Amino acid sequence: MEIIHSIAEMTATSRQMRQAGSTIALVPTMGFFHEGHLQLMRFGRQRADRLVVSLFVNPIQFGPNEDLQRYPRDFGRDATLAEQERVDVLFAPDSREMYGPEFQTRITVEHLTAPLCGGQRPGHFDGVTTVVAKLFNIVHPHSAIFGEKDFQQLVVIRRMVDDLNFDITILGHVIVREHDGLAMSSRNSYLSPDERQSALCLYESLQLARHMVSAGEVDVDRLLKEILARMQSYPGVTVDYVAVVDQATLQEKKKVDRSAILAMAVRVGATRLIDNGRLC
Ligand code: AMP
């Protein structure tokens, strides 16, 4: 596995791969790999001749009071895991390489970034779309893989790719969960044992909603009332949002149908966690 820190070198390497007739898949990450990241890599490995994984904790997608400084990092461990997954290139630029002193451009996807996480993390999705567009231009992949755990992010990136005519196929990967249902996340490492128990409120709320829907409930207000009551029964949990939205437009729905996604964000102690899933 090659480890590349420079943009020029990454672009040259990717150009050589293309000239040799290889297809390239890109998995963008912020590192501190868990099984979710590794499954995305395996998926990418199957989809293309060459697999590039980017590892960059992107400062411009963090708000001023968010966890940029304490975001977990372990480059040595990540490099070993990526190598085991037969990653061809681990692209790990630093912030100065990605954002020079004159940097002043942002890509904004408008309406899809307004609800859900967009409402609570101003500027977050601009940071995501800007860095992803840069990675696409640097790596020039044929396909790129994103997890459905960050469901709104996936919808926003698909919109950007369509709107800006990137010639890249965006592939979503299902959410990878721990044995008890907690969606894997680098941020789970922040949780104390008690908080780890309370973090189950997300998956258990999703299961509760699915049970209600399979028993015939279609009214979103009634579903949300039950879910909020359930969430409040977990110690240390503050709900940021719980919503049933259309999977394409992210607009709130009144009735559950096949296009409905339950989207949730909570704080467990100081840790913000998200989850989502279909209801039928
Ligand atoms: P991150 O390093 O957290 O920015 O995540 C990098 C990529 O992995 C993103 O596309 C995430 O959506 C995806 N990802 C993170 N956790 C999971 C998970 N539990 N299941 C599926 N994909 C995930």
Side-chain angles (χ1 to χ4, degrees), residues 8-252:
E9 204 184 321
M10 181 67 247
T11 301
T13 301
S14 144
R15 189 174 298 131
Q16 279 164 12
M17 289 174 176
R18 280 187 169 248
Q19 278 165 356
S22 299
T23 54
I24 303 168
L26 170 67
V27 178
T29 80
M30 298 206 300
F32 210 68
F33 295 152
H34 51 66
E35 184 62 23
H37 295 114
L38 303 185
Q39 290 203 22
L40 264 61
M41 292 178 205
R42 283 169 214 151
F43 189 56
R45 183 72 277 168
Q46 290 163 2
R47 292 289 307 203
D49 304 317
R50 297 306 198 97
L51 175 59
V52 177
V53 172
S54 62
L55 193 172
F56 180 58
V57 182
N58 176 33
I60 68 166
Q61 72 185 68
F62 287 79
N65 298 317
E66 294 185 354
D67 57 344
L68 173 63
Q69 297 311 326
R70 70 175 191 129
Y71 196 83
R73 293 164 169 91
D74 189 342
F75 185 76
R77 177 175 169 275
D78 284 350
T80 304
L81 289 170
E83 178 130 46
Q84 283 166 6
E85 296 303 331
R86 296 182 297 123
V87 170
D88 292 294
V89 177
L90 185 60
F91 175 51
D94 67 15
S95 289
R96 271 168 311 175
E97 181 72 356
M98 289 293 270
Y99 302 115
E102 301 298 326
F103 192 88
Q104 52 191 289
T105 301
R106 289 289 186 282
I107 292 182
T108 301
V109 172
E110 289 185 330
H111 307 302
L112 291 171
T113 60
L116 307 176
C117 289
Q120 282 155 1
R121 304 186 69 188
H124 167 70
F125 285 112
D126 287 4
V128 170
T129 41
T130 302
V131 79
V132 169
K134 279 175 71 72
L135 290 168
F136 286 175
N137 285 330
I138 295 164
V139 178
H140 201 186
H142 297 80
S143 58
I145 297 124
F146 295 87
E148 288 175 1
K149 198 198 66 137
D150 300 277
F151 173 73
Q152 186 173 17
Q153 170 175 287
L154 178 55
V155 173
V156 166
I157 287 168
R158 285 191 197 280
R159 182 78 265 138
M160 175 186 78
V161 163
D162 276 5
D163 288 354
L164 299 185
N165 310 98
F166 281 102
D167 187 15
I168 297 173
T169 305
I170 303 300
L171 302 165
H173 189 286
V174 293
I175 299 177
V176 181
R177 297 181 180 280
E178 303 281 359
H179 293 301
D180 58 6
L182 178 66
M184 290 194 179
S185 165
S186 306
R187 290 190 168 99
N188 292 349
S189 64
Y190 297 146
L191 301 171
S192 70
D194 285 349
E195 289 171 342
R196 174 66 182 73
Q197 276 304 111
S198 287
L200 281 178
C201 68
L202 290 164
Y203 186 63
E204 288 180 359
S205 296
L206 179 59
Q207 294 295 77
L208 169 69
R210 284 174 169 159
H211 280 126
M212 288 177 70
V213 170
S214 65
E217 184 62 85
V218 293
D219 184 83
V220 167
D221 285 342
R222 280 200 294 266
L223 269 180
L224 294 182
K225 201 162 157 252
E226 290 285 324
I227 291 171
L228 285 169
R230 173 68 64 94
M231 280 190 167
Q232 270 144 20
S233 70
Y234 290 81
V237 170
T238 321
V239 177
D240 267 7
Y241 64 77
V242 180
V244 174
V245 297
D246 181 274
Q247 61 179 1
T249 64
L250 305 184
Q251 294 299 303
E252 288 188 14

